[in-house]
Amino acid sequence: MAARVHYNNVADGLSRTGQVLAGSPNRAVLPVLLAGLKSTTPAIRAATIRATLRRHERATHTQLIEHVASLSETDRLVVGDAHRAMPHHAAAALKTAILERDATHCKNACHIIALSGDVALVPVPVRAAEDKKHHYRAEAAATILELATRVQQDLSRWTAGDRSAAHDPSFKRHHVLVSLEQSVSRYAQHRRKEILDAFLLLAPVDNGTLQKILHDTNHPCHAPTISQLNSTQDFGVIERLV
């Protein structure tokens, strides 16, 4: 009983400290948060992650992005969950991290977006993947395909009757498809197969862009699309073909 009371007191203390750090306008909290991220105590690291993402300050989010790779896998899952709960807080920092082409920031930001399944930010890795001068466009393209795969899996579960998701994944699919359709129209310029693969994962059979690709043999995506459809092992794509 005493141990439980002690645990509750510690948890309450961490929660209150996190709220103070999250709401303080003082920039001096940055080194405090960094120390929390480097703590040897998992509960302190988790509380620090949540406080960091709760803050409305880009420098704080950038600090988390910079150090996320040094966190444990469990801690990174906390990052994904916390960003999913309040995605707009760190959105600007994640966008900057990807588009500024810094290796560490770009890769870590892509990892956070993939972990959280933040489809609202999909235009950002699309822009990076299309940029031939971006040294980490492959990581951005991989993030796009990972997000599309996650949405496709959510759709499959929803169709099978699993309604554990808070919202119909069709809305996420529509949001991602808007960016993918625009990018596919520029395929001749960027030639990122991951973007085309992501599009084929999510496009319904009556999708106008898909129909145009299939029927126009001169379309830049026609040949790679036919090749992909002939060799795919993805059940969702095969089902649509049938």
Side-chain angles (χ1 to χ4, degrees), residues 77-89:
L77 291 176
V78 174
V79 173
D81 289 342
H83 176 63
R84 192 181 304 115
M86 38 192 165
H88 300 299
H89 288 213

Side-chain angles (χ1 to χ4, degrees), residues 46-181:
T48 303
I49 289 166
R50 296 187 185 98
T52 298
L53 286 171
R54 200 176 294 125
R55 287 179 63 80
H56 295 278
E57 183 186 34
R58 187 180 300 188
T60 315
H61 304 144
T62 300
Q63 182 172 265
L64 176 61
I65 293 168
E66 184 175 348
H67 291 88
V68 72
S70 64
L71 298 174
S72 70
E73 185 61 32
T74 300
D75 293 335
R76 289 196 289 271
L77 291 176
V78 174
V79 173
D81 289 342
H83 176 63
R84 192 181 304 115
M86 38 192 165
H88 300 299
H89 288 213
L94 289 168
K95 178 180 179 180
T96 299
I98 291 174
L99 297 181
E100 281 191 345
R101 305 174 184 171
D102 174 83
T104 299
H105 287 188
C106 179
K107 293 176 182 178
N108 291 354
C110 283
H111 188 50
I112 292 173
I113 290 172
L115 270 175
S116 60
D118 188 355
V119 298
L121 284 176
V122 75
V124 181
V126 166
R127 180 176 165 185
E130 290 187 13
D131 183 358
K132 291 184 178 180
K133 295 182 180 180
H134 200 301
H135 295 301
Y136 310 103
R137 61 196 299 244
E139 284 80 6
T143 300
I144 297 163
L145 185 54
E146 192 169 347
L147 285 172
T149 300
R150 182 166 179 163
V151 172
Q152 192 264 343
Q153 291 170 345
D154 289 344
L155 282 166
S156 296
R157 285 192 290 268
W158 188 273
T159 302
D162 181 352
R163 296 294 192 268
S164 57
H167 304 287
D168 185 345
S170 297
F171 296 105
K172 285 186 176 182
R173 175 173 66 179
H174 173 75
H175 186 88
V176 176
L177 270 177
V178 169
S179 291
L180 294 180
E181 284 179 309

